[in-house]
Amino acid sequence: MPYGPGSRLPLAGHASLRIEVRHLCYVIAAAQAGSFRGAATTLNVEQSAISRRIRDLEDRLGVSLFVRGHSGVCLTNAGQSFVGRARRALNHIRHAASDAASGGRGEVGGIRVGIFTSLASGFLADLLRTYGQRNSAVRLDLVEGAPAAHLSAVRRRQIDIAFLTGTPTADDCDREPLWTERIFVVLPVAHELAGRRKLTWNDLRAYRFIVSECDPGPEIEDYLVKHLADLGHHPSVERHAVGRDNLMHLVAMSQGLTLTSEATTADRFPGIAYRPLSGHLLPFCAIWSRQNDNPALRRLLSLAKAMSRQQPDASGRTGKADGERRQVKAGAAAIPGRGEPSQMPDQSP
């Protein structure tokens, strides 16, 4: 109970009258037991304390709550009315205390999560699914958006946490690397490169690429330019005013190739194949405000870190130290992606 023995509740309409919570407990216990002796036994206090406190309360109220007799006590009409309301008051207090405690433990409430990914599969999908199963009373609000918008929203406490690619930074924010995944080339099933199990940047030099004008298209374009320029080649990249799904259909129509991240290969589109880009991993992290005291956020972070420790590295081992297991190739952070590393089958006829 959030009130101590000496805590007092103001009585509406009686500015000078204060009722202690224990008064309510004493009256209810006496009414249930039918005697002050029984109430004293139930509450493990002296019978004289029960009798004295109830008499004090009756004096303050100016009305008798009990009829006293040799065989015990029974409620007066005023006492019956008082006990009914007293029970409801104590129930409200207990519920308030329980709700506050549950909220403080992150068992209820809500959490706003910024995502830049699909939840088709992968680490993030598994994380949110597990969190929802373990914290069914917590409302999960997912907010889609670009990385820059998410970083701003985290700083302003408009969202609690964002899951982003790379190693973004923001003032007064903490960051936790969580998982990596492979980068895949998306190409038509009839394409000459679709017969290969893996592709390299050298394999891609002569081909046209297409990206979406909306995120993550610009980041994919930057990623392509950077890595192909390192080979002395400026790639052909066309922007299209379509979303990801329609971009996949354009690939199937042989309008160009594109890149995606591993978890998105769970999404199936007719006429396309996914082939891994050899030797390149994409890091993902969580970022949140240091001033955010939402207990539900702390529970999500704790689960994310625990699940991250179980992710296998390139050799298949788990449980490695954070810094050791999250080594990725330089420059892999430039392109946004989705999900966790997994052994996804190639999508082909």
Side-chain angles (χ1 to χ4, degrees), residues 194-325:
R196 303 190 185 184
R197 298 296 297 176
K198 292 182 179 181
L199 300 175
T200 67
W201 285 114
N202 272 321
D203 296 327
L204 304 176
R205 292 178 61 177
Y207 298 100
R208 180 176 69 252
F209 286 86
I210 58 175
V211 299
S212 173
E213 289 182 352
C214 58
D215 293 313
E219 286 79 7
I220 294 176
E221 181 177 0
D222 291 344
Y223 190 78
L224 287 164
V225 170
K226 176 187 183 316
H227 285 84
L228 291 175
D230 288 343
L231 301 177
H233 175 73
H234 187 79
S236 171
V237 182
E238 295 180 358
R239 296 187 180 186
H240 291 262
V242 296
R244 178 177 179 273
D245 287 2
N246 282 327
L247 190 71
M248 297 297 105
H249 293 305
L250 288 177
V251 171
M253 295 163 58
S254 299
Q255 297 302 299
L257 313 184
T258 194
L259 298 181
T260 194
S261 53
E262 185 164 5
T264 64
T265 59
D267 294 328
R268 299 298 177 174
F269 296 93
I272 69 168
Y274 298 107
R275 295 295 179 263
L277 189 56
S278 181
H280 286 261
L281 295 177
L282 180 67
F284 285 77
C285 73
I287 190 164
W288 66 97
S289 170
R290 297 189 189 104
Q291 282 72 47
N292 193 323
D293 60 355
N294 184 352
L297 167 63
R298 301 299 157 179
R299 291 175 72 87
L300 178 60
L301 283 171
S302 178
L303 177 62
K305 292 175 183 178
M307 292 178 63
S308 176
R309 288 192 291 269
Q310 300 306 313
Q311 294 302 301
D313 63 9
S315 65
R317 293 177 294 175
T318 61
K320 299 178 70 178
D322 288 357
E324 183 182 354
R325 64 185 164 81

Side-chain angles (χ1 to χ4, degrees), residues 1-324:
M1 192 171 294
Y3 294 91
S7 300
R8 297 171 184 267
L9 298 175
L11 190 65
H14 296 74
S16 62
L17 181 59
R18 296 292 185 270
I19 297 179
E20 296 182 12
V21 172
R22 59 181 169 180
H23 286 159
L24 305 183
C25 297
Y26 291 170
V27 171
I28 291 171
Q32 289 175 335
S35 69
F36 293 156
R37 181 190 300 276
T41 300
T42 300
L43 299 177
N44 195 28
V45 297
E46 295 292 333
Q47 179 181 341
S48 59
I50 296 282
S51 178
R52 185 172 60 255
R53 294 299 182 187
I54 290 179
R55 177 64 69 184
D56 289 344
L57 177 60
E58 290 175 324
D59 291 343
R60 293 182 186 182
L61 294 174
V63 66
S64 293
L65 299 176
F66 291 96
V67 176
R68 293 159 175 79
H70 293 297
S71 60
V73 297
C74 62
L75 289 168
T76 64
N77 288 336
Q80 291 177 2
S81 177
F82 182 88
V83 166
R85 292 179 180 272
R87 284 196 175 105
R88 288 194 292 272
L90 287 180
N91 281 336
H92 285 311
I93 293 172
R94 292 190 183 101
H95 287 317
S98 176
D99 289 348
S102 295
R105 293 190 297 267
E107 296 171 354
V108 296
I111 183 169
R112 295 154 297 176
V113 180
I115 60 172
F116 187 48
T117 70
S118 161
L119 296 179
S121 68
F123 180 92
L124 184 56
D126 291 341
L127 170 64
L128 297 180
R129 184 184 309 111
T130 302
Y131 182 84
Q133 292 169 348
R134 296 184 182 180
N135 304 275
S136 58
V138 176
R139 176 185 171 90
L140 271 172
D141 287 324
L142 301 184
V143 181
E144 293 184 345
H150 280 333
L151 289 175
S152 177
V154 165
R155 292 182 61 194
R156 296 197 305 268
R157 303 279 296 278
Q158 293 176 338
I159 60 176
D160 293 294
I161 188 171
F163 293 94
L164 303 173
T165 56
T167 55
T169 59
D171 293 341
D172 300 321
C173 291
D174 285 328
R175 183 184 69 236
E176 176 72 16
L178 291 174
W179 78 97
T180 61
E181 65 177 81
R182 294 179 295 171
I183 297 172
F184 277 71
V185 181
V186 187
L187 63 167
V189 291
H191 196 277
E192 58 186 336
L193 295 179
R196 303 190 185 184
R197 298 296 297 176
K198 292 182 179 181
L199 300 175
T200 67
W201 285 114
N202 272 321
D203 296 327
L204 304 176
R205 292 178 61 177
Y207 298 100
R208 180 176 69 252
F209 286 86
I210 58 175
V211 299
S212 173
E213 289 182 352
C214 58
D215 293 313
E219 286 79 7
I220 294 176
E221 181 177 0
D222 291 344
Y223 190 78
L224 287 164
V225 170
K226 176 187 183 316
H227 285 84
L228 291 175
D230 288 343
L231 301 177
H233 175 73
H234 187 79
S236 171
V237 182
E238 295 180 358
R239 296 187 180 186
H240 291 262
V242 296
R244 178 177 179 273
D245 287 2
N246 282 327
L247 190 71
M248 297 297 105
H249 293 305
L250 288 177
V251 171
M253 295 163 58
S254 299
Q255 297 302 299
L257 313 184
T258 194
L259 298 181
T260 194
S261 53
E262 185 164 5
T264 64
T265 59
D267 294 328
R268 299 298 177 174
F269 296 93
I272 69 168
Y274 298 107
R275 295 295 179 263
L277 189 56
S278 181
H280 286 261
L281 295 177
L282 180 67
F284 285 77
C285 73
I287 190 164
W288 66 97
S289 170
R290 297 189 189 104
Q291 282 72 47
N292 193 323
D293 60 355
N294 184 352
L297 167 63
R298 301 299 157 179
R299 291 175 72 87
L300 178 60
L301 283 171
S302 178
L303 177 62
K305 292 175 183 178
M307 292 178 63
S308 176
R309 288 192 291 269
Q310 300 306 313
Q311 294 302 301
D313 63 9
S315 65
R317 293 177 294 175
T318 61
K320 299 178 70 178
D322 288 357
E324 183 182 354

Side-chain angles (χ1 to χ4, degrees), residues 329-344:
K329 293 181 77 73
I335 174 176
R338 307 164 189 180
E340 70 179 63
S342 62
Q343 296 302 316
M344 294 296 302

